[in-house]
mmCIF file of all heavy atoms in Angstrom:
data_model
loop_
_atom_site.group_PDB
_atom_site.id
_atom_site.type_symbol
_atom_site.label_atom_id
_atom_site.label_comp_id
_atom_site.label_asym_id
_atom_site.label_seq_id
_atom_site.Cartn_x
_atom_site.Cartn_y
_atom_site.Cartn_z
ATOM 1 N N GLY A 210 13.966 17.636 -3.132
ATOM 2 C CA GLY A 210 13.938 19.050 -2.795
ATOM 3 C C GLY A 210 13.452 19.897 -3.964
ATOM 4 O O GLY A 210 13.677 19.576 -5.136
ATOM 5 N N TYR A 211 12.791 20.968 -3.657
ATOM 6 C CA TYR A 211 12.140 21.826 -4.650
ATOM 7 C C TYR A 211 13.067 22.275 -5.783
ATOM 8 O O TYR A 211 12.724 22.109 -6.964
ATOM 9 C CB TYR A 211 11.536 23.022 -3.919
ATOM 10 C CG TYR A 211 10.635 23.902 -4.741
ATOM 11 C CD1 TYR A 211 9.330 23.522 -5.038
ATOM 12 C CD2 TYR A 211 11.085 25.139 -5.194
ATOM 13 C CE1 TYR A 211 8.491 24.350 -5.771
ATOM 14 C CE2 TYR A 211 10.255 25.974 -5.929
ATOM 15 C CZ TYR A 211 8.957 25.574 -6.215
ATOM 16 O OH TYR A 211 8.131 26.395 -6.948
ATOM 17 N N PRO A 212 14.257 22.828 -5.499
ATOM 18 C CA PRO A 212 15.121 23.272 -6.603
ATOM 19 C C PRO A 212 15.510 22.130 -7.543
ATOM 20 O O PRO A 212 15.517 22.299 -8.765
ATOM 21 C CB PRO A 212 16.352 23.847 -5.887
ATOM 22 C CG PRO A 212 15.873 24.192 -4.517
ATOM 23 C CD PRO A 212 14.861 23.140 -4.186
ATOM 24 N N GLU A 213 15.817 20.961 -6.984
ATOM 25 C CA GLU A 213 16.209 19.826 -7.816
ATOM 26 C C GLU A 213 15.049 19.336 -8.680
ATOM 27 O O GLU A 213 15.252 18.905 -9.822
ATOM 28 C CB GLU A 213 16.725 18.680 -6.947
ATOM 29 C CG GLU A 213 18.102 18.919 -6.345
ATOM 30 C CD GLU A 213 18.643 17.670 -5.658
ATOM 31 O OE1 GLU A 213 18.183 16.557 -5.991
ATOM 32 O OE2 GLU A 213 19.516 17.813 -4.785
ATOM 33 N N LEU A 214 13.836 19.393 -8.138
ATOM 34 C CA LEU A 214 12.674 18.952 -8.911
ATOM 35 C C LEU A 214 12.475 19.832 -10.139
ATOM 36 O O LEU A 214 12.175 19.335 -11.234
ATOM 37 C CB LEU A 214 11.409 18.994 -8.046
ATOM 38 C CG LEU A 214 11.397 18.165 -6.763
ATOM 39 C CD1 LEU A 214 10.009 18.192 -6.130
ATOM 40 C CD2 LEU A 214 11.821 16.730 -7.029
ATOM 41 N N LEU A 215 12.637 21.136 -9.958
ATOM 42 C CA LEU A 215 12.469 22.055 -11.080
ATOM 43 C C LEU A 215 13.558 21.842 -12.126
ATOM 44 O O LEU A 215 13.293 21.907 -13.335
ATOM 45 C CB LEU A 215 12.488 23.505 -10.582
ATOM 46 C CG LEU A 215 11.439 23.883 -9.518
ATOM 47 C CD1 LEU A 215 11.453 25.383 -9.276
ATOM 48 C CD2 LEU A 215 10.048 23.413 -9.915
ATOM 49 N N GLU A 216 14.775 21.585 -11.668
ATOM 50 C CA GLU A 216 15.875 21.330 -12.597
ATOM 51 C C GLU A 216 15.654 20.029 -13.366
ATOM 52 O O GLU A 216 15.936 19.945 -14.565
ATOM 53 C CB GLU A 216 17.203 21.272 -11.835
ATOM 54 C CG GLU A 216 17.690 22.623 -11.331
ATOM 55 C CD GLU A 216 17.909 23.623 -12.459
ATOM 56 O OE1 GLU A 216 18.464 23.212 -13.506
ATOM 57 O OE2 GLU A 216 17.518 24.792 -12.309
ATOM 58 N N LEU A 217 15.159 19.014 -12.683
ATOM 59 C CA LEU A 217 14.898 17.738 -13.346
ATOM 60 C C LEU A 217 13.874 17.914 -14.463
ATOM 61 O O LEU A 217 14.032 17.371 -15.562
ATOM 62 C CB LEU A 217 14.392 16.710 -12.332
ATOM 63 C CG LEU A 217 14.038 15.319 -12.885
ATOM 64 C CD1 LEU A 217 15.270 14.652 -13.487
ATOM 65 C CD2 LEU A 217 13.436 14.444 -11.785
ATOM 66 N N ALA A 218 12.825 18.688 -14.195
ATOM 67 C CA ALA A 218 11.765 18.895 -15.192
ATOM 68 C C ALA A 218 12.275 19.632 -16.422
ATOM 69 O O ALA A 218 11.779 19.418 -17.534
ATOM 70 C CB ALA A 218 10.609 19.665 -14.563
ATOM 71 N N LYS A 219 13.281 20.485 -16.237
ATOM 72 C CA LYS A 219 13.806 21.277 -17.353
ATOM 73 C C LYS A 219 14.963 20.592 -18.073
ATOM 74 O O LYS A 219 15.358 21.022 -19.160
ATOM 75 C CB LYS A 219 14.272 22.649 -16.844
ATOM 76 C CG LYS A 219 13.146 23.539 -16.343
ATOM 77 C CD LYS A 219 13.639 24.921 -15.957
ATOM 78 C CE LYS A 219 14.536 24.897 -14.736
ATOM 79 N NZ LYS A 219 14.908 26.268 -14.278
ATOM 80 N N GLY A 220 15.517 19.548 -17.477
ATOM 81 C CA GLY A 220 16.722 18.932 -18.016
ATOM 82 C C GLY A 220 16.464 17.871 -19.069
ATOM 83 O O GLY A 220 15.322 17.568 -19.432
ATOM 84 N N VAL A 221 17.560 17.278 -19.539
ATOM 85 C CA VAL A 221 17.465 16.268 -20.597
ATOM 86 C C VAL A 221 16.822 14.979 -20.092
ATOM 87 O O VAL A 221 16.299 14.187 -20.877
ATOM 88 C CB VAL A 221 18.867 15.958 -21.175
ATOM 89 C CG1 VAL A 221 19.423 17.175 -21.892
ATOM 90 C CG2 VAL A 221 19.829 15.498 -20.081
ATOM 91 N N ASN A 222 16.858 14.762 -18.780
ATOM 92 C CA ASN A 222 16.256 13.559 -18.202
ATOM 93 C C ASN A 222 14.875 13.853 -17.613
ATOM 94 O O ASN A 222 14.470 13.239 -16.627
ATOM 95 C CB ASN A 222 17.174 12.981 -17.117
ATOM 96 C CG ASN A 222 18.501 12.505 -17.671
ATOM 97 O OD1 ASN A 222 18.555 11.929 -18.754
ATOM 98 N ND2 ASN A 222 19.577 12.751 -16.936
ATOM 99 N N HIS A 223 14.152 14.780 -18.229
ATOM 100 C CA HIS A 223 12.868 15.204 -17.663
ATOM 101 C C HIS A 223 11.851 14.069 -17.578
ATOM 102 O O HIS A 223 10.944 14.112 -16.753
ATOM 103 C CB HIS A 223 12.284 16.365 -18.474
ATOM 104 C CG HIS A 223 11.983 16.027 -19.899
ATOM 105 N ND1 HIS A 223 12.906 16.166 -20.909
ATOM 106 C CD2 HIS A 223 10.860 15.546 -20.481
ATOM 107 C CE1 HIS A 223 12.363 15.790 -22.052
ATOM 108 N NE2 HIS A 223 11.120 15.408 -21.823
ATOM 109 N N THR A 224 12.003 13.033 -18.400
ATOM 110 C CA THR A 224 11.042 11.925 -18.325
ATOM 111 C C THR A 224 11.178 11.148 -17.016
ATOM 112 O O THR A 224 10.242 10.449 -16.615
ATOM 113 C CB THR A 224 11.219 10.968 -19.511
ATOM 114 O OG1 THR A 224 12.587 10.540 -19.583
ATOM 115 C CG2 THR A 224 10.833 11.647 -20.823
ATOM 116 N N ASP A 225 12.330 11.279 -16.339
ATOM 117 C CA ASP A 225 12.491 10.623 -15.038
ATOM 118 C C ASP A 225 11.576 11.238 -13.984
ATOM 119 O O ASP A 225 11.275 10.600 -12.973
ATOM 120 C CB ASP A 225 13.944 10.728 -14.555
ATOM 121 C CG ASP A 225 14.874 9.777 -15.288
ATOM 122 O OD1 ASP A 225 14.374 8.811 -15.895
ATOM 123 O OD2 ASP A 225 16.101 10.005 -15.256
ATOM 124 N N ALA A 226 11.139 12.465 -14.216
ATOM 125 C CA ALA A 226 10.284 13.140 -13.232
ATOM 126 C C ALA A 226 8.971 12.393 -13.032
ATOM 127 O O ALA A 226 8.398 12.410 -11.942
ATOM 128 C CB ALA A 226 10.011 14.579 -13.671
ATOM 129 N N ALA A 227 8.488 11.718 -14.070
ATOM 130 C CA ALA A 227 7.218 10.995 -13.977
ATOM 131 C C ALA A 227 7.290 9.835 -13.004
ATOM 132 O O ALA A 227 6.257 9.356 -12.527
ATOM 133 C CB ALA A 227 6.799 10.486 -15.356
ATOM 134 N N ARG A 228 8.503 9.370 -12.687
ATOM 135 C CA ARG A 228 8.658 8.279 -11.725
ATOM 136 C C ARG A 228 9.516 8.700 -10.537
ATOM 137 O O ARG A 228 10.086 7.861 -9.841
ATOM 138 C CB ARG A 228 9.239 7.040 -12.413
ATOM 139 C CG ARG A 228 10.540 7.264 -13.142
ATOM 140 C CD ARG A 228 10.835 6.151 -14.136
ATOM 141 N NE ARG A 228 12.110 6.350 -14.809
ATOM 142 C CZ ARG A 228 13.197 5.613 -14.579
ATOM 143 N NH1 ARG A 228 13.158 4.639 -13.695
ATOM 144 N NH2 ARG A 228 14.312 5.844 -15.235
ATOM 145 N N ASN A 229 9.589 9.994 -10.321
ATOM 146 C CA ASN A 229 10.289 10.528 -9.157
ATOM 147 C C ASN A 229 9.263 10.790 -8.062
ATOM 148 O O ASN A 229 8.326 11.569 -8.247
ATOM 149 C CB ASN A 229 11.022 11.818 -9.519
ATOM 150 C CG ASN A 229 11.830 12.355 -8.352
ATOM 151 O OD1 ASN A 229 12.590 11.623 -7.729
ATOM 152 N ND2 ASN A 229 11.653 13.630 -8.043
ATOM 153 N N SER A 230 9.416 10.144 -6.923
ATOM 154 C CA SER A 230 8.371 10.191 -5.898
ATOM 155 C C SER A 230 8.085 11.611 -5.419
ATOM 156 O O SER A 230 6.928 11.979 -5.197
ATOM 157 C CB SER A 230 8.746 9.290 -4.711
ATOM 158 O OG SER A 230 9.930 9.742 -4.084
ATOM 159 N N GLN A 231 9.122 12.431 -5.280
ATOM 160 C CA GLN A 231 8.869 13.789 -4.805
ATOM 161 C C GLN A 231 8.236 14.659 -5.881
ATOM 162 O O GLN A 231 7.420 15.529 -5.570
ATOM 163 C CB GLN A 231 10.156 14.421 -4.277
ATOM 164 C CG GLN A 231 10.566 13.882 -2.918
ATOM 165 C CD GLN A 231 11.359 14.886 -2.097
ATOM 166 O OE1 GLN A 231 11.789 15.925 -2.589
ATOM 167 N NE2 GLN A 231 11.556 14.578 -0.836
#
Side-chain angles (χ1 to χ4, degrees):
Y211 190 77
E213 287 188 22
L214 302 187
L215 303 188
E216 288 300 318
L217 179 62
K219 293 185 292 186
V221 294
N222 296 321
H223 62 271
T224 54
D225 285 341
R228 55 198 182 108
N229 183 50
S230 63
Q231 285 208 349

